[in-house]
Amino acid sequence: MSGTHKKLGARHKARKRAVDFLFEAEARDLDPVDLATERAELSGKDDSVAPVAPYTVTVVTGVAENLDRIDEVISSHLQDWTLERLPAVDRAILRIAVWELFHATDVPPVVAVDEAVELAKQLSTDESPGFVNGILGQVVLVAPQVRSAAAATSRRAETAGGDSTDAGS
């Protein structure tokens, strides 16, 4: 019974919602973080608005804060193609996956890639899952170095900042 029909969990739904927000924000020329935050607040007051998972806001914020770097990475792996020419939904899916590969240390790289491919199957064209998988298969190779560099940078920031790590003492 298992295998082909995976149960898609809360994180998957959160990623799918993040794709929706990134897509909508780009289409309407809005700030994606404002959009996600406003929807989250609205869902608390209005039952007709679906709740927004905290991970959705985390992902949207992460993508928005690192957008230039993320787009640079994606663009460098697009052969004979430009980021602007990609379907907007593929752009959103790739941005989320690259952010997860580089910054979400609790998400194994294989999961970030599988989730992106799954989202492409659900939301995009027949060619998209293979395309997304191909791009991310290359990005995965550089992700460990990027993660360790980011970790080193944040460790230096914590050390320089002094008492931010011992708030509970």
Side-chain angles (χ1 to χ4, degrees):
M1 187 89 172
S2 67
T4 51
H5 194 74
K6 291 189 302 232
K7 184 187 172 299
L8 300 171
R11 278 272 174 107
H12 179 80
K13 291 186 184 98
R15 285 181 188 94
K16 189 165 189 241
R17 197 79 189 275
V19 170
D20 294 342
F21 287 144
L22 291 173
F23 180 88
E24 182 182 346
E26 186 174 70
R28 296 176 55 203
D29 199 24
L30 300 170
D31 181 286
V33 180
D34 291 347
L35 181 66
T37 310
E38 284 164 19
R39 277 305 145 76
E41 287 168 5
L42 192 60
S43 72
K45 301 176 200 143
D46 181 347
D47 292 341
S48 70
V49 177
V52 178
Y55 192 65
T56 296
V57 179
T58 299
V59 169
V60 169
T61 304
V63 169
E65 286 174 353
N66 298 280
L67 189 62
D68 292 344
R69 175 84 182 102
I70 290 169
D71 283 356
E72 197 179 288
V73 168
I74 296 168
S75 295
S76 72
H77 292 93
L78 295 174
Q79 281 133 4
D80 308 320
W81 206 251
T82 62
L83 198 59
E84 296 72 39
R85 284 178 62 198
L86 291 181
V89 68
D90 290 3
R91 225 178 0 253
I93 290 168
L94 284 167
R95 284 170 171 162
I96 289 168
V98 170
W99 177 79
E100 283 192 318
L101 286 171
F102 287 179
H103 300 282
T105 50
D106 60 329
V107 178
V110 65
V111 172
V113 174
D114 286 351
E115 284 287 320
V117 171
E118 190 57 43
L119 287 166
K121 281 180 190 166
Q122 292 174 5
L123 304 172
S124 197
T125 66
D126 290 345
E127 293 79 39
S128 290
F131 175 76
V132 164
N133 192 42
I135 299 289
L136 296 177
Q138 298 170 51
V139 175
V140 138
L141 304 174
V142 298
Q145 298 93 295
V146 175
R147 275 189 183 190
S148 24
T153 306
S154 61
R155 274 196 300 276
R156 280 199 300 277
E158 281 168 19
T159 326
D163 60 2
S164 61
T165 50
D166 53 17
S169 55

